[in-house]
């Protein structure tokens, strides 16, 4: 009898946690297979393998705040210490294990789904059933694929976790005015900022939340909170500037750029039409779907809302727009993106979930419509799960991912095409890669450097030095305009000029390459001989393997 009572008391304590556990299990189940996936070779190889020596350092956690997230191994640099620390922790626990990195991504997705359920139940008053369905839908939604299944995508799930906790403790502080909640809120604000650059919008988002929900709180927000927000933002910006002071890569807002507008609509329409794109899309239909999605979201948001309700839901209407502002940022070359950037959609998906489920609440109050609405939501969840299971499989290997990007959009960007060519090379398909490079090089009138670089290198491997020199020369001229440095390119240009017997270019690239290596003429000549021998070895290996049909990657 005592055992039964003990079990009953234990169950009574555990029962409230069951919905959270179930939401986490569903989130884990939908992405469990991705734990055995490989790498895409889009940043993940660098983050797991190339940076491994940096992670081994006893001071790695401190060093993460003193380096960009790629530890200087890429031209494009991001200051994301907390993201770097997540990979340092992976490395300390499991070394360079790709499986463990995928496992971490899945766990972060589970934690995100649990936080959605917590927020819906505690702060939205939507009821237990709708809140649980919202969390489950979030867990299986197709738009989450690139964050959960692509290892570098964890920057979004990490940011989302810190953002949600930052918002939750802010609300708790507004309700209770307890300093412990304010301090915890500030901690998670700092973690947001040091995870992803788009977190600079978070202080504004927090103010917007307070302004839209002001009537719900008895005591006005203290002025010193604004000061603390500004200080947090200042600390991050100063730290970022100090670390990235010498970067040559500039970013700027371009609200009139049609590619950026297309990307914005691409992301919005992916939510409302259960899409899980891998490639970037800029077709006319994307603009149409995007506009329809915006109209649907506005209708759902303000349906039967009084003045107070409309003001509160307006926060969730504006939230995705603020978070997706990075879609309007372009780099120096103003070229399209390699892939669809799904790894920035957790916060927008959360906001649209609030809008959708608040709309559904209008109909679940009456038995006449309630069952019908729940049936629709369950069908949407089932459809989402099926799409997600299929879409996540495209990230199984570098080859499946690259093929999906190219096949999904016949007008893929130059970056995407270059990525596909590199992937073919990495997967023992030299001739196919060479054919693609020549085809797309011709399509671009031999002006697109993203394609000319691998094309020039492959021409050298086939001993076509004149064309190699011509293509690599174009790449160099483009890099020179952008102040982009690449020692490998200088050495290839020098070698191509030597073998094309172009004395003028030979002297020019000799000076450029030697200056870049900072070696004496004798030291440089010795290193160049080794470089030449290695390249000639690759040429001979390619000849032999093409003759036997056993090609290797180069």
């Amino acid at each position: 009898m005592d055992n039964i009572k003990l079990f009953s008391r234990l169950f009574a304590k555990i029962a409230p946690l069951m919905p959270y556990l179930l939401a986490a299990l569903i989130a884990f189940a939908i992405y469990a297979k991705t734990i055995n996936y490989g790498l895409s070779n889009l940043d993940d190889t660098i983050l797991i393998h190339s940076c491994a020596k940096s992670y081994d350092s006893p001071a790695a956690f401190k060093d993460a705040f003193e380096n960009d997230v790629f530890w200087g191994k890429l031209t494009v640099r991001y200051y994301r210490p907390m993201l770097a620390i997540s990979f340092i922790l992976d490395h300390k626990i499991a070394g360079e294990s790709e499986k463990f990195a995928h496992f971490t991504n899945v766990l972060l997705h589970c934690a995100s789904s649990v936080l959605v359920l917590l927020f819906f139940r505690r702060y939205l008053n939507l009821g237990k059933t709708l809140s649980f369905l919202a969390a489950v839908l979030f867990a299986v939604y197709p738009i989450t694929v690139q964050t959960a299944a692509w290892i570098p995508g964890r920057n979004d799930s990490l940011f989302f976790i810190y953002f949600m906790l930052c918002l939750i403790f802010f609300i708790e502080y507004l309700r209770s005015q307890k300093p412990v909640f304010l301090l915890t809120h500030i901690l998670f604000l700092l973690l947001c900022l040091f995870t992803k650059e788009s977190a600079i919008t978070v202080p504004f988002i927090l103010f917007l939340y307070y302004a839209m929900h002001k009537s719900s709180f008895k005591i006005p927000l203290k002025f010193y909170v604004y000061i603390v927000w500004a200080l947090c933002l200042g600390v991050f910006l100063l730290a970022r500037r100090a670390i990235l002071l010498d970067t040559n890569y500039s970013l700027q807002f371009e609200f009139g750029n049609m590619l950026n507008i297309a990307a914005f609509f691409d992301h919005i329409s992916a939510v409302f039409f259960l899409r899980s794109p891998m490639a970037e899309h800029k077709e006319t239909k994307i603009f149409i779907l995007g506009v329809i999605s915006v109209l649907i979201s506005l209708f759902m948001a303000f349906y039967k809302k009084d003045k107070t309700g409309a003001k509160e839901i307006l926060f969730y209407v504006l939230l995705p727009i603020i978070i997706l502002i990075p879609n309007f940022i372009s780099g120096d070359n103003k070229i399209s993106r390699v892939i669809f950037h799904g790894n920035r959609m957790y916060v927008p998906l959360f906001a649209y979930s609030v809008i959708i489920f608040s709309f559904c609440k209008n109909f679940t109050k009456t038995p006449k419509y309630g069952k019908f609405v729940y049936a629709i939501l369950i069908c949407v969840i089932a459809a989402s799960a099926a799409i997600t299971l299929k879409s996540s499989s495209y990230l199984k290997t570098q080859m499946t991912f690259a093929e999906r990007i190219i096949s999904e959009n016949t007008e893929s960007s130059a970056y995407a095409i270059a990525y596909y060519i590199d992937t073919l090379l990495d997967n023992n398909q030299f001739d196919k890669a060479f054919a693609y490079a020549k085809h797309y090089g011709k399509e671009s009138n031999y002006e697109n450097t993203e394609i000319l670089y691998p094309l020039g290198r492959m021409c050298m491997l086939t001993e076509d030095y004149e064309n190699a020199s011509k293509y690599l020369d174009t790449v160099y001229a483009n890099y020179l305009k952008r102040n982009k440095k690449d020692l490998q390119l200088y050495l290839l240009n020098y070698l191509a000029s030597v073998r094309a017997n172009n004395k003028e270019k030979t002297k020019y690239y000799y000076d450029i390459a030697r200056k870049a290596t900072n070696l004496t003429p004798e030291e440089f000549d010795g290193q160049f001989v080794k470089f030449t021998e290695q390249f000639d070895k690759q040429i001979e290996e390619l000849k032999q393997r093409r003759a036997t049909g056993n090609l290797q990657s180069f």
Side-chain angles (χ1 to χ4, degrees):
M1 196 70 176
D2 290 338
N3 288 336
I4 294 174
K5 287 182 179 179
L6 181 63
F7 179 78
S8 298
R9 285 197 297 269
L10 183 63
F11 182 77
K13 290 181 180 179
I14 295 175
L17 300 176
M18 292 305 291
Y20 298 96
L21 179 60
L22 186 56
L25 287 173
I26 292 170
F28 188 87
I30 200 75
Y31 283 111
K33 68 176 184 177
T34 66
I35 295 170
N36 294 312
Y37 283 6
L39 301 181
S40 67
N41 203 24
L42 283 174
D43 299 346
D44 44 15
T45 304
I46 295 172
L47 290 167
I48 295 174
H49 299 303
S50 302
C51 296
K53 287 186 179 179
S54 301
Y55 301 157
D56 282 329
S57 168
F61 294 104
K62 177 182 73 70
D63 293 343
F65 288 89
E66 299 174 358
N67 289 276
D68 71 285
V69 73
F70 299 117
W71 302 77
K73 291 175 174 60
L74 280 182
T75 306
V76 179
R77 300 171 68 191
Y78 299 102
Y79 186 59
R80 298 174 177 179
M82 295 312 300
L83 176 60
I85 285 173
S86 77
F87 286 104
I88 293 170
L89 287 170
D90 280 357
H91 186 78
K92 298 289 186 187
I93 296 168
E96 296 180 43
S97 171
E98 296 168 8
K99 286 187 177 182
F100 193 83
H102 277 296
F103 178 68
T104 300
N105 271 44
V106 177
L107 289 185
L108 291 171
H109 180 63
C110 295
S112 300
S113 303
V114 168
L115 284 171
V116 170
L117 178 55
L118 175 64
F119 194 92
F120 269 71
R121 290 189 67 168
R122 184 168 175 80
Y123 304 106
L124 294 178
N125 193 30
L126 290 180
K128 294 180 179 180
T129 305
L130 275 180
S131 297
F132 179 72
L133 290 175
V136 171
L137 184 56
F138 182 94
V140 304
Y141 219 78
I143 199 68
T144 62
V145 166
Q146 284 188 1
T147 297
W150 180 47
I151 291 170
R154 73 169 64 166
N155 66 335
D156 195 35
S157 50
L158 268 175
F159 169 70
F160 180 74
I161 290 167
Y162 296 144
F163 170 77
M164 291 299 292
L165 290 170
C166 176
L167 180 58
I168 285 169
F169 283 109
F170 178 57
I171 297 170
E172 291 298 329
Y173 169 71
L174 289 172
R175 288 180 173 182
S176 68
Q177 296 295 306
K178 290 182 179 179
V180 65
F181 290 131
L182 178 61
L183 291 173
T184 315
H185 156 71
I186 296 303
L187 171 64
F188 284 110
L189 173 58
L190 286 168
L191 291 175
C192 280
L193 289 166
F194 285 92
T195 299
K196 197 174 183 181
E197 290 84 349
S198 56
I200 60 172
T201 62
V202 172
F204 176 72
I205 290 169
L206 294 168
F207 170 74
L208 189 64
Y209 181 88
Y210 170 69
M212 298 293 114
H213 296 78
K214 198 173 183 179
S215 60
S216 303
F217 308 113
K218 296 178 182 179
I219 303 174
L221 186 62
K222 299 292 192 297
F223 182 73
Y224 62 75
V225 176
Y226 299 108
I227 302 297
V228 174
W229 287 347
L231 287 173
C232 290
L233 196 56
V235 166
F236 166 71
L237 291 174
L238 286 172
R240 183 181 184 276
R241 184 180 180 185
I243 302 305
L244 305 186
L245 186 63
D246 60 342
T247 183
N248 293 316
Y249 190 82
S250 64
L251 297 171
Q252 53 273 330
F253 284 100
E254 291 191 326
F255 288 101
N257 188 318
M258 293 304 292
L259 292 176
N260 292 340
I261 296 171
F264 178 79
F265 283 133
D266 200 9
H267 285 77
I268 298 296
S269 65
V271 174
F272 284 90
F273 290 92
L274 298 183
R275 296 172 56 238
S276 182
M278 296 293 142
E280 177 189 53
H281 290 273
K282 46 186 181 284
E283 308 95 299
T284 302
K285 68 177 182 181
I286 293 301
F287 289 89
I288 296 171
L289 291 176
V291 171
I292 292 172
S293 299
V294 170
L295 294 175
I296 291 172
S297 68
L298 291 174
F299 172 76
M300 286 184 163
F302 298 108
Y303 179 78
K304 288 190 175 181
K305 288 287 191 300
D306 57 21
K307 189 175 180 180
T308 302
K311 195 174 181 181
E312 291 179 353
I313 203 70
L314 180 60
F315 169 75
Y316 297 100
V317 172
L318 296 174
L319 181 55
I321 297 171
I322 297 168
I323 290 295
L324 289 176
I325 280 177
N327 277 321
F328 294 95
I329 297 178
S330 296
D332 290 337
N333 48 8
K334 298 181 177 62
I335 278 181
S336 302
R337 299 159 178 85
V338 181
I339 59 173
F340 173 83
H341 286 277
N343 60 317
R344 59 179 57 160
M345 289 303 295
Y346 270 37
V347 173
L349 177 58
F350 159 72
Y352 285 125
S353 296
V354 174
I355 291 170
I356 292 166
F357 281 86
S358 296
F359 173 75
C360 291
K361 185 183 176 183
N362 292 302
F363 303 97
T364 56
K365 295 175 182 177
T366 58
K368 182 179 179 181
Y369 298 109
K371 291 181 180 179
F372 180 67
V373 170
Y374 286 128
I376 291 176
L377 289 174
I378 291 170
C379 288
V380 171
I381 289 171
S384 296
I387 295 168
T388 298
L389 285 169
K390 181 180 179 181
S391 296
S392 62
S393 65
Y394 297 132
L395 283 145
K396 188 173 184 179
T397 66
Q398 180 184 349
M399 195 72 239
T400 56
F401 190 33
E403 285 182 337
R404 179 60 185 176
I405 292 169
I406 293 296
S407 64
E408 188 178 295
N409 187 358
T410 54
E411 297 181 5
S412 296
S413 70
Y415 276 164
I417 293 165
Y419 172 61
Y420 182 56
I421 291 168
D422 287 339
T423 300
L424 288 171
L425 290 173
D426 290 341
N427 284 269
N428 314 327
Q429 299 184 47
F430 181 91
D431 288 334
K432 187 175 181 180
F434 198 17
Y436 260 91
K438 286 191 285 188
H439 171 75
Y440 284 109
K442 187 177 181 180
E443 286 278 307
S444 70
N445 200 26
Y446 299 102
E447 294 177 352
N448 198 304
T449 56
E450 298 302 323
I451 297 168
L452 291 185
Y453 199 158
L455 177 58
R457 191 165 183 269
M458 284 186 280
C459 282
M460 290 190 68
L461 289 168
T462 55
E463 300 179 285
D464 181 4
Y465 297 113
E466 285 194 15
N467 278 322
S469 180
K470 181 173 65 175
Y471 300 146
L472 293 173
D473 207 31
T474 303
V475 177
Y476 171 74
N478 180 273
Y479 278 26
L480 191 63
K481 287 179 184 177
R482 294 158 52 193
N483 198 24
K484 185 175 178 180
K485 298 174 182 178
D486 188 332
L487 177 59
Q488 176 81 359
L489 175 64
Y490 305 155
L491 292 171
L492 287 172
N493 266 309
Y494 177 43
L495 179 58
S497 301
V498 169
R499 296 195 170 171
N501 200 27
N502 189 322
K503 295 181 180 179
E504 185 179 346
K505 282 187 180 181
T506 297
K507 184 180 183 308
Y508 179 79
Y509 284 115
Y510 173 83
D511 292 337
I512 294 292
R514 193 177 68 79
K515 185 179 178 182
T517 57
N518 198 28
L519 297 174
T520 64
E522 294 77 14
E523 290 172 332
F524 176 79
D525 290 344
Q527 292 296 321
F528 184 69
V529 168
K530 292 180 181 178
F531 175 81
T532 303
E533 288 173 350
Q534 290 174 351
F535 206 87
D536 286 341
K537 186 178 179 181
Q538 289 185 348
I539 292 172
E540 289 306 313
E541 287 177 353
L542 177 61
K543 285 180 180 177
Q544 292 173 13
R545 290 182 172 98
R546 291 179 89 182
T548 60
N550 182 25
L551 292 174
Q552 286 290 326
S553 62
F554 289 88

